[in-house]
Amino acid sequence: MALLYAWLASISSGLSPIIIKASSKDLVKNPWAFNILWVLIGIPFIAVFALLRGAGMPADWLPIFLLALSLTGFYIFYTVSLYRIDVSTMSPLFSLRTVFSVILGVWLLNEYLSPGDIVLISIIILLSPLAAYDDKMRYRAFFQKSIFLAVLAMFFLAFEGYFANRSAEVNGYSTTLLWQDILVLTFLLPTLKYAGMSRGYFTKKKLLPFVLLGVSGFIYTATSIAAYAQNLALSAVIISLPLSMIFAVLLSIKYKDLLERNSVKVYAVRFSAAGVMVASAIFLSLK
């Protein structure tokens, strides 16, 4: 069941950057406002499900607190960077999450890295610049501030997987699910001063993508925590697959403005790099 949950989480998370990118172009141009609305509208879906599953007060607040703190860091850096870069650039970078997860395992759990593991980690890191490849800037594109923020988001996401596993073990699946986003929203509230919201800001047209994100976010949160609770390493690899890149390219056939205007060569390089990075991440998780 862990792998089924991981695949459901991967598919739902693959849809999120598509919705975010489409919304950032025309509807919600402020990433701080987007984050607040994203988490806020998703909470009712998660809360009802968690309460029906018997969620209650945590036995230990620390792992949930650290889980929420990690997710807050991810939301902030992920959304800000995705507002600035292409979906096909962001998607392969999720493989870095596996690298960070393995490093965390060595650091926190005293796991062993073999020479083969180090080679695979090196391959993922060395190919990461190709995820940001374009015809004009080439490798220099990887050293943009927005790419650094995306890598930082993957770092926080690795911690999210670890603390989701710890919290589910101590507090149970449903209780972790209930309190996770409530705490994330609490941590994000200070960013309201940058959100630029005013009377009349909320319109039906603007709220529609957040309903979609609420549904996809609920599916992701419910299935990812269930997957992490059973299998951390392999679940992290499946959830980190660059499905959003595939979705974006397929949808861009009809919706021309969904992706940046790049040549076939650019997307070929990005897809090739993503394939090798994901394959390396899968081998890394099966060590």
Side-chain angles (χ1 to χ4, degrees):
M1 286 300 289
L3 299 187
L4 173 61
Y5 288 138
W7 275 108
L8 289 173
S10 185
I11 292 170
S12 59
S13 67
L15 293 173
S16 295
I18 308 297
I19 300 170
I20 295 171
K21 197 65 179 179
S23 302
S24 69
K25 290 179 178 292
D26 301 310
L27 299 179
V28 183
K29 299 183 181 297
N30 187 307
W32 304 105
F34 199 102
N35 269 337
I36 296 290
L37 292 171
W38 185 3
V39 177
L40 178 64
I41 294 178
I43 286 177
F45 295 96
I46 295 170
V48 170
F49 177 78
L51 289 170
L52 289 175
R53 292 287 300 266
M57 297 298 290
D60 185 354
W61 280 97
L62 182 60
I64 292 185
F65 181 88
L66 295 174
L67 165 60
L69 203 60
S70 302
L71 264 179
T72 302
F74 167 73
Y75 274 115
I76 290 173
F77 294 117
Y78 174 70
T79 308
V80 170
S81 60
L82 189 55
Y83 262 60
R84 302 176 183 177
I85 63 177
D86 201 357
V87 172
S88 64
T89 299
M90 174 68 79
S91 194
L93 295 178
F94 275 88
S95 292
L96 290 173
R97 173 194 191 170
T98 305
V99 173
F100 292 138
S101 294
V102 171
I103 293 172
L104 284 176
V106 173
W107 178 34
L108 297 175
L109 303 176
N110 296 317
E111 295 179 351
Y112 170 72
L113 278 183
S114 69
D117 297 333
I118 295 173
V119 170
L120 291 171
I121 290 173
S122 300
I123 289 173
I124 294 173
I125 293 174
L126 289 173
L127 287 181
S128 296
L130 292 180
Y133 176 86
D134 65 38
D135 286 324
K136 296 179 181 178
M137 298 180 68
R138 298 178 185 270
Y139 277 92
R140 286 180 296 166
F142 186 74
F143 298 100
Q144 301 174 67
K145 180 181 178 181
S146 53
I147 299 297
F148 172 75
L149 294 177
V151 172
L152 202 54
M154 300 308 123
F155 177 74
F156 277 100
L157 201 56
F159 273 102
E160 180 262 346
Y162 173 78
F163 287 121
N165 177 277
R166 299 295 92 191
S167 180
E169 185 176 295
V170 176
N171 298 304
Y173 166 73
S174 299
T175 298
T176 299
L177 195 62
L178 174 64
W179 289 99
Q180 170 186 294
D181 281 0
I182 294 175
L183 287 176
V184 170
L185 181 62
T186 303
F187 294 150
L188 284 174
L189 285 179
T191 67
L192 265 175
K193 62 181 180 180
Y194 305 114
M197 295 182 186
S198 59
R199 179 177 293 182
Y201 188 88
F202 299 98
T203 64
K204 289 182 179 180
K205 188 176 181 181
K206 283 185 177 181
L207 290 178
L208 177 60
F210 294 102
V211 174
L212 298 176
L213 278 174
V215 174
S216 66
F218 159 68
I219 296 172
Y220 169 77
T221 303
T223 53
S224 65
I225 291 179
Y228 289 138
Q230 298 177 48
N231 186 305
L232 179 59
L234 189 54
S235 294
V237 172
I238 293 174
I239 293 172
S240 299
L241 292 173
L243 297 186
S244 57
M245 173 188 281
I246 299 171
F247 296 156
V249 171
L250 293 175
L251 288 171
S252 67
I253 298 172
K254 182 175 181 180
Y255 302 101
K256 304 295 183 183
D257 294 331
L258 187 59
L259 289 175
E260 296 173 356
R261 297 181 185 279
N262 291 307
S263 66
V264 174
K265 176 186 175 182
V266 168
Y267 290 117
V269 170
R270 292 180 183 178
F271 267 87
S272 298
V276 177
M277 290 168 70
V278 170
S280 299
I282 290 174
F283 281 117
L284 190 62
S285 71
L286 296 175
K287 65 189 180 70

